[in-house]
Amino acid sequence: MLSAFGVPSATAGAPSLAAPGILKPLPPEYFTLRGTNAEARYETLKDTGVLTPVDRFFVRNHTSTPVLDASDWHLTVWGDGLHGRTPVRFTYGQLRDLPSVTRTALIECAGNGRSLYTTQQGESVAGTPWTLGAIGAARWRGARLSDVLRLAGIASDAVDVQPRGLDASYVTGGVDLGRVRRPLTVAKALDDVILAYEMNGEPLPYDHGHPVRLVVPNWIGIASIKWLGDIEVSRAPLASPWFTDHYRFFGAAHPPGGSAPLTRQTLKSAYELPFGATLEAGRTHRLEGRAWSAHAPVRRVDVSTDGGARWRPARFLQPSRHEPWVRWTTPWRPHGPGPVTLLSRVTDLAGNTQPERAVHNTQGYLFDAVVRHPVTVV
Ligand SMILES: Nc1nc2c(c(=O)[nH]1)N[C@H]1C(S)=C(S)[C@@H](COP(=O)(O)O)O[C@H]1N2
Ligand SMILES: [Mo]
């Protein structure tokens, strides 16, 4: 049983994993625990549509979920990038009174697929060893960040805004990095960013940022600050540890001080099938998967069931490709028995496609290579 915002009630029956600081139930059939985070079992998204239900949506918490009350919540917009430099407050009611927008968008952690750098490419990377389930799509409803910034009096020469969460300060390796925050350019802030108070038609659940979170479409998950408390607006570029030390490419293939801060997510495709699944020889299986790109709508998905020797197009399972991800299917009649590597490769309308190998970076961000999916035919 769930209360309105996803807090387990006393009658919760099914066994759940216990993640420190996550409030919603985490049944082991849907989630894998990774420290303070819960990864969705990607293959169980198979029986969901475009939208990921809250009860299967991954949670990435630097510390733990704070329980905030909408009635005494407010957002403070402040900084030298405002006319008059006077902080402006918005209550929850005032935010809800602004015109609302509704949009389906993915939230995907920059490190989604990170463990494949190791399992598939033999490279070591630091960070939460996500497989493919640090992703979900939801229908978000909220106010436009552009409306809020204009009402607050953003100056024409403001360059950056920095949203910050109300969750506890993040302490790592004995260093207090302060509360989770990361700047974004005014250009992106005024474009398509939402201050979301609804997820899939329900009030935003506690674990996903109740009462209000940012949704920054197509950018890495860290941009979409949960439990939003304040936004700094600045005439000079802003920074934070999540901008300078994390969420950049570091390593041999990158500039000595690291790449530019990462913004946009990448593209991926994968079968909705457990790694190591067994499939019966001599009958036709209807394999399914998903594909997505943060750059452009999906144009095609090609699949190979012989380790990459021959490729054929997959068939789309939904009428529109203009959704943040596309579900696809392909029939396969294995002869077997023995191990087989299944492959899929997405190409988007901008011409981006998945390489055979992802370029290594020390923190394992933006894995984009064709996933080599091992199965056994019996
Ligand atoms: N305040 C705050 N915002 C946050 C985080 C956090 O720990 N605190 N985690 C970020 C990261 S790294 C990701 S991937 C997404 C995850 O969103 P979700 O937990 O709703 O799936 O939230 C982002 N926003
Ligand atoms: Mo993330």
Side-chain angles (χ1 to χ4, degrees):
M1 288 291 287
L2 285 186
S3 73
F5 305 139
V7 171
S9 76
T11 56
S16 251
L17 301 163
I22 298 180
L23 298 176
K24 70 182 180 182
L26 301 169
E29 61 269 36
Y30 294 155
F31 291 100
T32 305
L33 285 196
R34 304 202 184 280
T36 55
N37 315 296
E39 176 170 359
R41 290 188 186 274
Y42 172 81
E43 66 273 13
T44 70
L45 299 181
K46 182 175 175 171
D47 48 61
T48 68
V50 167
L51 302 184
T52 310
V54 168
D55 64 8
R56 310 223 191 156
F57 209 102
F58 85 105
V59 179
R60 165 44 174 145
N61 278 356
H62 281 74
T63 59
S64 60
T65 296
V67 175
L68 304 177
D69 186 348
S71 65
D72 57 27
W73 174 90
H74 61 262
L75 170 70
T76 306
V77 184
W78 60 281
D80 69 9
L82 296 184
H83 292 301
R85 302 178 182 209
T86 322
V88 180
R89 269 183 163 213
F90 295 84
T91 65
Y92 185 76
Q94 287 170 325
L95 205 69
R96 296 221 48 146
D97 284 344
L98 296 176
S100 75
V101 283
T102 305
R103 162 172 192 158
T104 305
L106 294 168
I107 302 280
E108 183 179 12
C109 188
N112 194 30
R114 173 181 285 131
S115 67
L116 298 172
Y117 278 102
T118 305
T119 55
Q120 195 167 297
Q121 305 192 164
E123 296 164 330
S124 65
V125 285
T128 304
W130 305 110
T131 54
L132 290 164
I135 188 167
R139 195 130 177 88
W140 310 98
R141 178 164 170 260
R144 288 186 185 89
L145 179 56
S146 60
D147 287 345
V148 165
L149 291 174
R150 288 196 180 104
L151 284 169
I154 187 171
S156 58
D157 57 350
V159 296
D160 273 358
V161 306
Q162 179 147 258
R164 181 165 56 164
L166 290 164
D167 42 337
S169 289
Y170 180 54
V171 180
T172 177
V175 183
D176 186 340
L177 304 183
R179 287 192 270 128
V180 177
R181 64 201 184 283
R182 190 174 198 258
L184 57 150
T185 57
V186 165
K188 179 67 176 177
L190 295 180
D191 179 16
D192 57 0
V193 179
I194 301 172
L195 298 171
Y197 43 71
E198 270 183 27
M199 180 177 182
N200 294 341
E202 302 286 338
L204 198 62
Y206 284 124
D207 294 309
H208 298 288
H210 184 84
V212 176
R213 82 175 299 166
L214 224 58
V215 173
V216 183
N218 297 315
W219 280 30
I220 55 176
I222 186 64
S224 294
I225 294 294
K226 305 194 278 187
W227 313 293
L228 186 64
D230 69 287
I231 302 176
E232 178 178 2
V233 184
S234 174
R235 292 176 203 240
L238 296 171
S240 83
W242 290 268
F243 194 69
T244 52
D245 305 334
H246 291 276
Y247 305 105
R248 292 180 189 239
F249 291 142
F250 295 97
H254 305 287
S259 72
L262 304 179
T263 56
R264 210 173 264 276
Q265 252 293 356
T266 185
L267 78 178
K268 288 187 185 67
S269 66
Y271 292 85
E272 293 160 329
L273 197 65
F275 269 39
T278 50
L279 292 148
E280 216 180 298
R283 54 168 281 245
T284 302
H285 299 271
R286 196 169 160 278
L287 305 177
E288 288 182 21
R290 296 178 186 240
W292 58 99
S293 168
H295 293 278
V298 168
R299 188 174 76 199
R300 56 181 297 145
V301 175
D302 295 290
V303 295
S304 170
T305 48
D306 59 6
R310 283 166 306 161
W311 293 81
R312 60 183 188 272
R315 186 171 69 77
F316 292 140
L317 276 173
Q318 68 198 44
S320 171
R321 300 176 194 191
H322 293 263
E323 296 281 5
W325 51 11
V326 168
R327 301 169 64 217
W328 49 263
T329 185
T330 194
W332 182 43
R333 193 181 166 85
H335 302 296
V340 176
T341 302
L342 303 178
L343 308 176
S344 66
R345 185 174 58 212
V346 60
T347 304
D348 71 20
L349 282 174
N352 301 296
T353 193
Q354 293 180 270
E356 252 178 63
R357 231 187 133 84
V359 177
H360 177 257
N361 64 93
T362 58
Q363 296 177 63
Y365 297 130
L366 303 190
F367 187 86
D368 61 355
V370 169
V371 174
R372 304 185 64 84
H373 195 126
V375 297
T376 304
V377 178
V378 292

PDB file of all heavy atoms in Angstrom, residues 114 125-130 362-363:
ATOM      1  N   ARG A 114      27.351   2.469 -16.874  1.00  0.00           N
ATOM      2  CA  ARG A 114      28.763   2.579 -16.467  1.00  0.00           C
ATOM      3  C   ARG A 114      29.461   1.226 -16.343  1.00  0.00           C
ATOM      4  O   ARG A 114      30.608   1.062 -16.773  1.00  0.00           O
ATOM      5  CB  ARG A 114      28.844   3.313 -15.135  1.00  0.00           C
ATOM      6  CG  ARG A 114      30.231   3.344 -14.524  1.00  0.00           C
ATOM      7  CD  ARG A 114      30.224   4.071 -13.185  1.00  0.00           C
ATOM      8  NE  ARG A 114      30.126   5.510 -13.343  1.00  0.00           N
ATOM      9  CZ  ARG A 114      29.267   6.293 -12.688  1.00  0.00           C
ATOM     10  NH1 ARG A 114      28.417   5.766 -11.823  1.00  0.00           N
ATOM     11  NH2 ARG A 114      29.259   7.590 -12.888  1.00  0.00           N
ATOM     12  N   VAL A 125      36.418   1.975 -14.000  1.00  0.00           N
ATOM     13  CA  VAL A 125      35.746   3.270 -13.878  1.00  0.00           C
ATOM     14  C   VAL A 125      35.314   3.430 -12.425  1.00  0.00           C
ATOM     15  O   VAL A 125      35.098   2.442 -11.726  1.00  0.00           O
ATOM     16  CB  VAL A 125      34.496   3.349 -14.798  1.00  0.00           C
ATOM     17  CG1 VAL A 125      34.889   3.533 -16.250  1.00  0.00           C
ATOM     18  CG2 VAL A 125      33.596   2.124 -14.641  1.00  0.00           C
ATOM     19  N   ALA A 126      35.192   4.679 -11.978  1.00  0.00           N
ATOM     20  CA  ALA A 126      34.760   4.956 -10.605  1.00  0.00           C
ATOM     21  C   ALA A 126      33.306   5.406 -10.618  1.00  0.00           C
ATOM     22  O   ALA A 126      32.870   6.089 -11.536  1.00  0.00           O
ATOM     23  CB  ALA A 126      35.634   6.051 -10.004  1.00  0.00           C
ATOM     24  N   GLY A 127      32.568   5.017  -9.575  1.00  0.00           N
ATOM     25  CA  GLY A 127      31.184   5.476  -9.449  1.00  0.00           C
ATOM     26  C   GLY A 127      30.219   4.321  -9.285  1.00  0.00           C
ATOM     27  O   GLY A 127      30.613   3.151  -9.348  1.00  0.00           O
ATOM     28  N   THR A 128      28.970   4.630  -9.062  1.00  0.00           N
ATOM     29  CA  THR A 128      27.924   3.613  -8.882  1.00  0.00           C
ATOM     30  C   THR A 128      27.889   2.688 -10.104  1.00  0.00           C
ATOM     31  O   THR A 128      27.735   3.173 -11.227  1.00  0.00           O
ATOM     32  CB  THR A 128      26.556   4.309  -8.716  1.00  0.00           C
ATOM     33  OG1 THR A 128      26.654   5.226  -7.624  1.00  0.00           O
ATOM     34  CG2 THR A 128      25.435   3.308  -8.458  1.00  0.00           C
ATOM     35  N   PRO A 129      28.050   1.366  -9.895  1.00  0.00           N
ATOM     36  CA  PRO A 129      28.139   0.466 -11.051  1.00  0.00           C
ATOM     37  C   PRO A 129      26.771   0.131 -11.666  1.00  0.00           C
ATOM     38  O   PRO A 129      26.351  -1.023 -11.693  1.00  0.00           O
ATOM     39  CB  PRO A 129      28.821  -0.780 -10.468  1.00  0.00           C
ATOM     40  CG  PRO A 129      28.408  -0.770  -9.027  1.00  0.00           C
ATOM     41  CD  PRO A 129      28.271   0.676  -8.619  1.00  0.00           C
ATOM     42  N   TRP A 130      26.096   1.154 -12.160  1.00  0.00           N
ATOM     43  CA  TRP A 130      24.804   0.932 -12.818  1.00  0.00           C
ATOM     44  C   TRP A 130      24.959  -0.021 -13.997  1.00  0.00           C
ATOM     45  O   TRP A 130      25.963   0.051 -14.712  1.00  0.00           O
ATOM     46  CB  TRP A 130      24.265   2.240 -13.400  1.00  0.00           C
ATOM     47  CG  TRP A 130      24.097   3.435 -12.534  1.00  0.00           C
ATOM     48  CD1 TRP A 130      24.839   4.580 -12.583  1.00  0.00           C
ATOM     49  CD2 TRP A 130      23.094   3.665 -11.519  1.00  0.00           C
ATOM     50  NE1 TRP A 130      24.363   5.495 -11.666  1.00  0.00           N
ATOM     51  CE2 TRP A 130      23.301   4.964 -11.006  1.00  0.00           C
ATOM     52  CE3 TRP A 130      22.050   2.897 -11.007  1.00  0.00           C
ATOM     53  CZ2 TRP A 130      22.507   5.527 -10.000  1.00  0.00           C
ATOM     54  CZ3 TRP A 130      21.262   3.450 -10.017  1.00  0.00           C
ATOM     55  CH2 TRP A 130      21.487   4.744  -9.514  1.00  0.00           C
ATOM     56  N   THR A 362      37.356   8.242 -16.929  1.00  0.00           N
ATOM     57  CA  THR A 362      37.623   7.616 -15.627  1.00  0.00           C
ATOM     58  C   THR A 362      36.367   7.429 -14.781  1.00  0.00           C
ATOM     59  O   THR A 362      36.310   6.522 -13.959  1.00  0.00           O
ATOM     60  CB  THR A 362      38.642   8.441 -14.814  1.00  0.00           C
ATOM     61  OG1 THR A 362      38.118   9.772 -14.658  1.00  0.00           O
ATOM     62  CG2 THR A 362      39.999   8.508 -15.503  1.00  0.00           C
ATOM     63  N   GLN A 363      35.363   8.281 -14.975  1.00  0.00           N
ATOM     64  CA  GLN A 363      34.160   8.162 -14.163  1.00  0.00           C
ATOM     65  C   GLN A 363      33.018   7.427 -14.892  1.00  0.00           C
ATOM     66  O   GLN A 363      31.905   7.331 -14.377  1.00  0.00           O
ATOM     67  CB  GLN A 363      33.726   9.544 -13.660  1.00  0.00           C
ATOM     68  CG  GLN A 363      34.803  10.136 -12.724  1.00  0.00           C
ATOM     69  CD  GLN A 363      34.478  11.539 -12.233  1.00  0.00           C
ATOM     70  OE1 GLN A 363      33.505  11.772 -11.540  1.00  0.00           O
ATOM     71  NE2 GLN A 363      35.307  12.493 -12.598  1.00  0.00           N
TER      72      GLN A 363
END
